[in-house]
């Protein structure tokens, strides 16, 4: 059923005689988004005590509210305080708490921004913020600092700055469109933007990060898919956090995208009292793969301001990974990552599987607790690599790419770089030598 009784009821309260055609019109949904406490109470029938209301108003002044009628319709009114959709979309007075360890921009996205709209953190790919708005304001947004601030879609001239940066930076082979939600742009703007980026020779893939399939699945129209299909290879990542979000409408949107030929991924955020449970996560990943979406990342909740009530210890994420590895299909398992505060990028975290090691044997444990050994080869001819592929017996003809450049731990492992250690700039022992 695409139009539930509850949805019909909400639609009728918003506008008399609402039709299913209106409900499924994404622009109708957007123009009737719930942005005030009163409207929320009126449409859900949920009421708050006056005292709580006052605090909630203060919260919503600081971090505004915006919920699509569709997403609102998923809230279970009778148990709303424990409802995962309610918690992700409706303000909590705890958002007013700011801890010393929290920052407005914990990932230093603005420090790593060479031009407006671009975050260039990794060598070969960039994040391109192409929209400042979303159809639903996630309460756990990592860019909470920006939510509702500058509610607009950037002009072509503004977007051109990012496009120019990508054009002038040949090492960028992967462009990740994010925001805000890129699908808040009009179809014609999306068409224009993708066409500009795809014309850049060194860009090999484009990715889009969107929460539309979760919060406004009607945005995934046939027209939109038709436009996107012109720009393959195009990867699409979405953001389901709880199995309750995988509704028939969401499934329909995902099917359109999967049928369009786009590889689909999902990025979940680990959130206290929403999905911090191995059984919920397992159910979520199973539903995702049934809908042709591959779980990509499970994020540890960032140290953004006002998110303390959402954060779990890292042990919770490791426990969840422990419950997935081996217990379910490999492709149903996301990579659990911590986005390094200060902008170091995503760091994968796993339970430990290597127990011990000698020169010819590794001792490992599996998901069942069985301890096993792997015999390493007696004779393995170490290949000296001077990164001169022409003279190697492996067949890799690298014509254009300069592979001589290595950074970080890869550099320490290389045969030709003389670096023996990476030393922090302010290391006292080394400073004494000077
Ligand atoms: C997450 C992120 C990317 C993409 O990282 P992948 O691990 O390739 O998915 C790129 N740039 C920035 C700034 C990011 O935060």
């Amino acid at each position: 059923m695409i139009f539930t009784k509850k949805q019909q009821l909400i639609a009728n309260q918003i506008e008399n005689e609402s039709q299913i055609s209106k409900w499924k019109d994404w622009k109708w949904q957007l123009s009737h988004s719930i942005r005030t406490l009163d409207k929320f109470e009126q449409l859900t029938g949920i009421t708050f005590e006056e005292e709580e209301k006052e605090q909630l108003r203060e919260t919503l002044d600081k971090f505004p509210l915006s919920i699509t009628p569709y997403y609102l319709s998923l809230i279970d009114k009778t148990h709303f305080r424990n409802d995962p959709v309610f918690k992700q979309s409706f303000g909590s007075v705890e958002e007013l708490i700011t801890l010393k360890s929290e920052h407005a921009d914990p990932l230093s996205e603005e420090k790593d921004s060479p031009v407006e709209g671009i975050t260039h953190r990794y060598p070969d790919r960039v994040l391109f913020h192409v929209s400042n708005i979303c159809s639903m304001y996630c309460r756990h947004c990592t860019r909470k600092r920006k939510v509702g601030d500058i509610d607009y879609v950037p002009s072509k001239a503004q977007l051109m700055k990012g496009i120019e940066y990508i054009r002038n930076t040949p090492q960028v082979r992967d462009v990740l469109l994010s925001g805000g939600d890129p699908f808040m742009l009009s179809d014609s703007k999306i068409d224009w933007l993708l066409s500009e980026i795809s014309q850049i020779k060194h860009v090999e893939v484009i990715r889009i990060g969107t929460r539309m399939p979760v919060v406004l699945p009607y945005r995934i129209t046939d027209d939109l898919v038709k436009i996107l299909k012109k720009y393959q290879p195009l990867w699409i990542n979405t953001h389901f956090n709880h199995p309750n979000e995988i509704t028939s409408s969401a499934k329909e949107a995902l099917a359109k995208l999967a049928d369009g030929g786009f590889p689909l991924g999902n990025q979940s955020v680990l959130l206290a009292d929403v999905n911090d449970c191995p059984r919920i996560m397992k159910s979520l990943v199973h539903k995702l793969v049934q809908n042709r979406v591959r779980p990509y990342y499970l994020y540890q909740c960032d140290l953004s301001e006002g998110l303390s009530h959402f954060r779990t210890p890292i042990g919770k994420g490791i426990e969840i990974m422990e419950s997935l590895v081996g217990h379910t299909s490999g492709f149903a398992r996301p990579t659990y990552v911590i986005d390094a505060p200060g902008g170091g990028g995503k760091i994968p975290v796993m339970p430990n599987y290597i127990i011990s090691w000698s020169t010819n044997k590794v001792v490992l444990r599996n998901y069942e607790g069985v301890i096993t050994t792997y015999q390493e080869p007696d004779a393995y001819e170490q290949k000296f690599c001077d990164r001169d592929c022409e003279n190697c017996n492996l067949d890799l003809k690298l014509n254009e790419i300069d592979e001589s450049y290595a950074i970080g731990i890869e550099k320490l492992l290389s045969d030709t770089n003389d670096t023996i250690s990476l030393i922090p700039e302010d290391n006292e022992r080394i400073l004494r030598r000077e």
Side-chain angles (χ1 to χ4, degrees), residues 85-148:
V85 172
F86 173 80
K87 288 193 170 167
Q88 290 181 70
S89 60
F90 189 76
S92 155
V93 296
E94 289 169 292
E95 291 171 39
L96 295 174
I97 301 168
T98 304
L99 303 181
K100 258 170 80 183
S101 54
E102 295 177 333
H103 301 278
D105 178 17
L107 310 178
S108 298
E109 292 187 320
E110 278 153 39
K111 280 189 200 147
D112 286 335
S113 175
V115 299
E116 184 190 336
I118 295 272
T119 301
H120 193 171
R121 168 158 308 147
Y122 296 106
D124 67 340
R125 55 208 188 277
V126 292
L127 191 66
F128 189 3
H129 305 261
V130 297
S131 145
N132 284 307
I133 42 177
C134 283
S135 57
M136 195 280 281
Y137 296 167
C138 303
R139 304 318 295 184
H140 55 278
C141 184
T142 185
R143 304 191 183 115
K144 210 169 169 69
R145 65 185 186 279
K146 288 187 167 179
V147 173

Side-chain angles (χ1 to χ4, degrees), residues 88-315:
Q88 290 181 70
S89 60
F90 189 76
S92 155
V93 296
E94 289 169 292
E95 291 171 39
L96 295 174
I97 301 168
T98 304
L99 303 181
K100 258 170 80 183
S101 54
E102 295 177 333
H103 301 278
D105 178 17
L107 310 178
S108 298
E109 292 187 320
E110 278 153 39
K111 280 189 200 147
D112 286 335
S113 175
V115 299
E116 184 190 336
I118 295 272
T119 301
H120 193 171
R121 168 158 308 147
Y122 296 106
D124 67 340
R125 55 208 188 277
V126 292
L127 191 66
F128 189 3
H129 305 261
V130 297
S131 145
N132 284 307
I133 42 177
C134 283
S135 57
M136 195 280 281
Y137 296 167
C138 303
R139 304 318 295 184
H140 55 278
C141 184
T142 185
R143 304 191 183 115
K144 210 169 169 69
R145 65 185 186 279
K146 288 187 167 179
V147 173
D149 260 13
I150 20 173
D151 235 13
Y152 71 98
V153 172
S155 65
K156 280 190 182 176
Q158 279 169 306
L159 291 172
M160 261 337 266
K161 293 185 200 167
I163 294 167
E164 280 306 317
Y165 179 81
I166 297 166
R167 207 190 311 279
N168 295 327
T169 315
Q171 56 280 32
V172 176
R173 43 162 288 285
D174 172 6
V175 175
L176 168 46
L177 304 182
S178 178
D181 198 310
F183 288 158
M184 288 297 278
L185 304 187
S186 66
D187 284 3
S188 62
K189 195 85 151 277
I190 291 171
D191 199 358
W192 169 80
L193 180 67
L194 289 173
S195 143
E196 288 288 328
I197 298 171
S198 64
Q199 279 171 42
I200 301 171
K201 270 212 311 282
H202 53 265
V203 174
E204 298 168 5
V205 281
I206 303 175
R207 292 194 254 179
I208 294 178
T210 174
R211 212 179 177 196
M212 288 294 188
V214 188
V215 296
L216 183 49
Y218 315 124
R219 175 66 185 101
I220 311 304
T221 59
D222 294 332
D223 285 345
L224 177 65
V225 172
K226 210 159 126 193
I227 291 167
L228 301 177
K229 276 174 94 159
K230 296 191 283 179
Y231 304 105
Q232 292 279 25
L234 183 66
W235 293 60
I236 297 178
N237 267 333
T238 185
H239 174 180
F240 285 92
N241 283 332
H242 193 282
N244 290 6
E245 294 170 330
I246 303 186
T247 63
S248 46
S249 298
K251 287 179 185 173
E252 206 173 286
L254 294 173
K256 275 190 211 282
L257 293 172
D259 289 344
F262 312 108
L264 301 178
N266 186 68
Q267 316 198 139
S268 293
V269 184
L270 181 54
L271 298 171
D273 293 329
V274 172
N275 59 12
D276 53 339
C277 157
R279 296 180 73 183
I280 288 178
M281 278 316 234
K282 198 183 278 178
S283 157
L284 174 65
V285 298
H286 286 169
K287 285 196 170 191
L288 287 168
V289 298
Q290 282 172 48
N291 289 285
R292 293 179 277 174
V293 182
R294 170 139 199 209
Y296 179 49
Y297 281 143
L298 170 63
Y299 284 96
Q300 174 65 16
C301 184
D302 286 331
L303 289 166
S304 302
E305 280 171 4
L307 300 188
S308 57
H309 59 298
F310 276 128
R311 240 169 263 131
T312 67
I314 288 166

